[in-house]
Every structure is written in structure tokens, then in C-alpha cells.
Amino acid sequence: MADNMNGWQKLEKVQDSVIDGNQAEVEKITSTIADPLSQKIFMDSLASRCSGGAAGLPSCEIVGEPGDTKAVKFKGDHPMTVSRDQASGSSSLKVTDDAPSTSKKIMDGWNSAREFLSNLPSELADGARSYVKGHTEVGEALNRANTTESELNRRWDAQINAAEGK
């Protein structure tokens, strides 16, 4: 079907597919544009629509000079890049998905959970220590440790007072 469309129809279909986030459709349409001059015109037209704020197109970044667009990077909910590759004398249009991969999202979640779990014992221990110090007899004894009012000093004072009959 894309072979039967003219350049403007392809441009419209690519624009609609970018808005919908349909990368496969964008790839299918751009793969039918084989002539390097047609690719150049297509990329410049797409960049013009993007910079002109065509209805519904997400914000974008245009790579290259005016009249020689190398790539158009679409942002938004479905980030993708349409680029013109002119390596080794041939020319082709490429579409790449710029969204973070699912595996990257899973790894980020895993690392976040692992960090949380590794910090959890120390956070629980700190919470328990602060509760014991402030709310129990043991906590009060710990607060008086290494002072003249420590438990050891209190026991010695009690034994001395008992020995002296006070």
C-alpha cells in the first residue's frame, strides 16, 4: 500500500504514525523511499512540519542544517527518531525507538529495590535504637553510660551507702 502513495501521502501517513507511536508503520513507509533525492526532500519536509508545529506532532529536535536534515527526533509519549543515513555512498532512512527499553526499566526497578532492601536493616536498627534509648529503662541506662550517674556508679554508691549504714 505504501508503494502506491505519493510523497505527500507518505508524509501525512508518517506524521499520523508518529502521533500514534506506531514505529513499525513509520519504518514500513520510509522503507519505500529509495531515491536519495526523494529521501532528502522527505526529511526536509518532515523537519519543516515539525518546526512549523504541525497539528498533533510532539515536540522535536531537528539535526542538520536547513535544507540538509540528517534526523528528526520526536519527543513525547512515543519518542522515536527518523534519520537519513548516507554511509558508503548509499542512502537510506532509518527509524529508531528512543523509548527506554523494557529490560532497562526492569533493571532500574531491580536496582532500586535492591538498594532499598540493603538499607532496610540499618534503618530498622536505627529506628529500634532510637526507640530503646528514648522509651525504655535500658535506654535510660544507655543514656547515662560513662557518666557519674551510670548504672555501675549507682551500684557502687548503693554498696558504699549500705556498708556505711546510710
Side-chain angles (χ1 to χ4, degrees):
M1 179 177 152
D3 289 329
N4 298 333
M5 291 191 266
N6 66 29
W8 295 113
Q9 291 170 326
K10 289 179 183 181
L11 194 58
E12 287 290 327
K13 188 66 175 170
V14 164
Q15 178 178 327
D16 292 342
S17 298
V18 165
I19 292 169
D20 295 339
N22 189 348
Q23 180 186 346
E25 186 69 20
V26 175
E27 287 176 8
K28 187 169 90 175
I29 294 168
T30 57
S31 69
T32 64
I33 307 171
D35 178 52
L37 180 59
S38 297
Q39 291 173 357
K40 181 181 180 325
I41 293 170
F42 180 84
M43 289 298 294
D44 290 340
S45 299
L46 186 60
S48 173
R49 284 188 177 206
C50 182
S51 65
L57 272 178
S59 64
C60 62
E61 175 186 343
I62 300 169
V63 178
E65 300 297 319
D68 188 27
T69 304
K70 304 287 184 208
V72 178
K73 297 181 177 188
F74 294 98
K75 313 285 187 210
D77 294 338
H78 312 287
M80 69 176 79
T81 300
V82 179
S83 60
R84 187 166 57 114
D85 184 20
Q86 296 175 302
S88 66
S90 67
S91 182
S92 64
L93 294 177
K94 292 184 178 179
V95 180
T96 54
D97 185 4
D98 295 340
S101 67
T102 303
S103 62
K104 182 180 180 325
K105 289 179 184 177
I106 290 171
M107 286 307 297
D108 288 346
W110 172 252
N111 289 336
S112 176
R114 186 173 45 176
E115 181 181 336
F116 172 76
L117 291 174
S118 67
N119 291 335
L120 189 59
S122 65
E123 290 178 15
L124 288 174
D126 291 345
R129 262 189 234 107
S130 67
Y131 179 80
V132 165
K133 275 190 148 186
H135 298 91
T136 63
E137 290 180 16
V138 172
E140 290 175 20
L142 289 173
N143 286 336
R144 289 191 308 269
N146 296 325
T147 67
T148 57
E149 289 294 309
S150 70
E151 289 297 311
L152 183 59
N153 285 339
R154 284 181 170 197
R155 272 188 256 131
W156 286 347
D157 288 342
Q159 288 175 354
I160 290 171
N161 288 338
E164 292 177 350
K166 293 183 185 175

